[in-house]
Short mmCIF file of all heavy atoms in Angstrom, two decimals:
data_model
loop_
_atom_site.label_atom_id
_atom_site.label_comp_id
_atom_site.label_asym_id
_atom_site.label_seq_id
_atom_site.Cartn_x
_atom_site.Cartn_y
_atom_site.Cartn_z
N ASN A 229 0.81 -1.14 0.01
CA ASN A 229 -0.04 0.01 0.01
C ASN A 229 0.88 1.26 0.11
O ASN A 229 0.79 2.19 0.88
CB ASN A 229 -0.98 -0.12 1.18
CG ASN A 229 -2.20 0.79 0.94
OD1 ASN A 229 -2.21 1.62 0.05
ND2 ASN A 229 -3.16 0.61 1.89
N THR A 230 1.78 1.38 -1.03
CA THR A 230 2.74 2.48 -1.10
C THR A 230 1.95 3.82 -1.29
O THR A 230 2.55 4.84 -0.92
CB THR A 230 3.72 2.23 -2.24
OG1 THR A 230 2.98 2.03 -3.48
CG2 THR A 230 4.51 0.94 -1.90
N SER A 231 0.88 3.75 -1.85
CA SER A 231 0.08 5.11 -1.97
C SER A 231 -0.27 5.67 -0.67
O SER A 231 -0.29 6.86 -0.49
CB SER A 231 -1.18 4.87 -2.84
OG SER A 231 -0.77 4.47 -4.22
N THR A 232 -0.70 4.75 0.19
CA THR A 232 -1.01 5.26 1.59
C THR A 232 0.17 5.73 2.31
O THR A 232 0.06 6.67 3.05
CB THR A 232 -1.64 4.10 2.34
OG1 THR A 232 -2.91 3.69 1.70
CG2 THR A 232 -1.96 4.49 3.82
N LEU A 233 1.31 4.99 2.15
CA LEU A 233 2.57 5.59 2.72
C LEU A 233 2.80 7.13 2.32
O LEU A 233 3.08 7.92 3.17
CB LEU A 233 3.71 4.80 2.34
CG LEU A 233 5.12 5.26 2.62
CD1 LEU A 233 5.30 5.65 4.01
CD2 LEU A 233 6.15 4.37 2.04
N LEU A 234 2.56 7.40 1.01
CA LEU A 234 2.92 8.63 0.50
C LEU A 234 1.77 9.67 1.16
O LEU A 234 2.13 10.85 1.44
CB LEU A 234 2.92 8.79 -0.98
CG LEU A 234 3.95 7.98 -1.67
CD1 LEU A 234 3.84 8.12 -3.20
CD2 LEU A 234 5.33 8.44 -1.18
N LEU A 235 0.62 9.25 1.34
CA LEU A 235 -0.44 10.09 1.95
C LEU A 235 0.00 10.35 3.45
O LEU A 235 -0.23 11.48 3.96
CB LEU A 235 -1.77 9.39 1.92
CG LEU A 235 -2.46 9.33 0.53
CD1 LEU A 235 -3.71 8.52 0.60
CD2 LEU A 235 -2.74 10.72 0.00
N ASN A 236 0.52 9.28 4.06
CA ASN A 236 1.00 9.51 5.45
C ASN A 236 2.14 10.52 5.51
O ASN A 236 2.13 11.34 6.62
CB ASN A 236 1.61 8.25 5.94
CG ASN A 236 0.61 7.08 6.14
OD1 ASN A 236 -0.71 7.42 6.23
ND2 ASN A 236 1.10 5.89 6.39
N MET A 237 2.82 10.75 4.49
CA MET A 237 3.94 11.78 4.56
C MET A 237 3.46 13.16 4.43
O MET A 237 4.28 14.15 4.68
CB MET A 237 5.00 11.45 3.42
CG MET A 237 5.68 10.17 3.80
SD MET A 237 6.99 9.79 2.47
CE MET A 237 8.09 11.09 2.79
N ALA A 238 2.20 13.30 3.86
CA ALA A 238 1.65 14.65 3.66
C ALA A 238 2.62 15.60 2.98
O ALA A 238 3.03 16.68 3.49
CB ALA A 238 1.24 15.30 5.00
N ILE A 239 3.12 15.24 1.84
CA ILE A 239 4.07 15.80 1.07
C ILE A 239 3.47 17.24 0.57
O ILE A 239 2.50 17.23 -0.11
CB ILE A 239 4.60 14.98 -0.03
CG1 ILE A 239 5.39 13.78 0.49
CG2 ILE A 239 5.55 15.76 -0.91
CD1 ILE A 239 5.81 12.78 -0.47
N ASP A 240 4.19 18.27 0.80
CA ASP A 240 3.89 19.67 0.29
C ASP A 240 4.67 19.86 -1.03
O ASP A 240 5.73 19.33 -1.16
CB ASP A 240 4.31 20.71 1.29
CG ASP A 240 3.48 20.72 2.49
OD1 ASP A 240 2.21 20.33 2.44
OD2 ASP A 240 3.89 21.05 3.65
N PRO A 241 4.12 20.62 -1.92
CA PRO A 241 4.75 20.92 -3.14
C PRO A 241 6.18 21.45 -3.10
O PRO A 241 6.98 21.17 -3.96
CB PRO A 241 3.91 22.04 -3.90
CG PRO A 241 2.49 21.84 -3.14
CD PRO A 241 2.80 21.38 -1.77
N GLU A 242 6.50 22.08 -2.04
CA GLU A 242 7.87 22.70 -1.88
C GLU A 242 8.72 21.93 -0.90
O GLU A 242 9.85 22.38 -0.57
CB GLU A 242 7.75 24.18 -1.31
CG GLU A 242 6.98 25.09 -2.37
CD GLU A 242 6.98 26.54 -1.88
OE1 GLU A 242 7.38 26.77 -0.83
OE2 GLU A 242 6.48 27.33 -2.67
N ASP A 243 8.32 20.78 -0.59
CA ASP A 243 9.15 19.94 0.38
C ASP A 243 10.46 19.51 -0.19
O ASP A 243 10.50 19.20 -1.40
CB ASP A 243 8.36 18.68 0.77
CG ASP A 243 7.51 18.83 1.99
OD1 ASP A 243 7.71 19.86 2.71
OD2 ASP A 243 6.79 17.91 2.30
N ILE A 244 11.50 19.40 0.57
CA ILE A 244 12.81 18.98 0.23
C ILE A 244 12.95 17.66 1.02
O ILE A 244 12.97 17.64 2.36
CB ILE A 244 13.97 19.94 0.61
CG1 ILE A 244 13.75 21.21 -0.18
CG2 ILE A 244 15.32 19.31 0.31
CD1 ILE A 244 14.78 22.39 0.25
N ILE A 245 13.10 16.58 0.34
CA ILE A 245 12.96 15.17 0.94
C ILE A 245 14.18 14.40 0.48
O ILE A 245 14.54 14.48 -0.54
CB ILE A 245 11.74 14.53 0.56
CG1 ILE A 245 10.46 15.41 0.85
CG2 ILE A 245 11.54 13.07 1.19
CD1 ILE A 245 9.07 14.74 0.26
N ALA A 246 14.64 13.55 1.48
CA ALA A 246 15.74 12.60 1.10
C ALA A 246 15.15 11.22 1.29
O ALA A 246 14.58 10.86 2.25
CB ALA A 246 16.94 12.85 2.01
N ASP A 247 15.35 10.42 0.17
CA ASP A 247 15.05 9.01 0.32
C ASP A 247 16.26 8.27 0.51
O ASP A 247 17.15 8.15 -0.48
CB ASP A 247 14.36 8.53 -1.09
CG ASP A 247 13.89 7.06 -0.96
OD1 ASP A 247 14.29 6.30 -0.01
OD2 ASP A 247 13.09 6.63 -1.85
N ILE A 248 16.53 7.78 1.67
CA ILE A 248 17.81 7.18 2.09
C ILE A 248 17.71 5.67 1.72
O ILE A 248 16.88 4.95 2.32
CB ILE A 248 18.17 7.38 3.59
CG1 ILE A 248 18.12 8.85 3.91
CG2 ILE A 248 19.62 6.88 3.87
CD1 ILE A 248 18.95 9.85 3.08
N GLY A 249 18.72 5.24 0.97
CA GLY A 249 18.50 3.85 0.50
C GLY A 249 17.52 3.66 -0.59
O GLY A 249 16.55 2.98 -0.60
N ALA A 250 17.53 4.67 -1.61
CA ALA A 250 16.50 4.81 -2.55
C ALA A 250 16.37 3.62 -3.55
O ALA A 250 15.29 3.55 -4.25
CB ALA A 250 16.79 6.10 -3.29
N GLY A 251 17.34 2.80 -3.55
CA GLY A 251 17.28 1.65 -4.49
C GLY A 251 17.12 2.06 -5.95
O GLY A 251 17.87 2.89 -6.44
N SER A 252 16.14 1.56 -6.61
CA SER A 252 15.83 1.80 -7.91
C SER A 252 15.02 2.99 -8.23
O SER A 252 14.71 3.40 -9.33
CB SER A 252 15.11 0.59 -8.64
OG SER A 252 13.91 0.31 -7.88
N GLY A 253 14.65 3.75 -7.11
CA GLY A 253 13.84 4.90 -7.20
C GLY A 253 12.38 4.77 -7.16
O GLY A 253 11.64 5.69 -7.57
N TYR A 254 11.90 3.55 -6.70
CA TYR A 254 10.44 3.38 -6.67
C TYR A 254 9.71 4.53 -6.04
O TYR A 254 8.65 4.95 -6.48
CB TYR A 254 10.21 2.04 -5.93
CG TYR A 254 8.68 1.66 -5.92
CD1 TYR A 254 8.19 0.90 -6.94
CD2 TYR A 254 7.91 1.90 -4.82
CE1 TYR A 254 6.86 0.52 -6.87
CE2 TYR A 254 6.64 1.52 -4.76
CZ TYR A 254 5.99 0.88 -5.82
OH TYR A 254 4.77 0.39 -5.77
#
């Protein structure tokens, strides 16, 4: 349920985010 994970993050349009261990970029 990766879509729900992103909703949990409440990402704003101007957010600066680091994906640590990003792998293939999923």
Side-chain angles (χ1 to χ4, degrees):
N229 205 344
T230 56
S231 296
T232 296
L233 165 58
L234 295 180
L235 289 174
N236 290 346
M237 293 181 68
I239 295 173
D240 291 326
E242 297 182 353
D243 270 348
I244 300 175
I245 305 171
D247 186 346
I248 310 300
S252 59
Y254 182 87

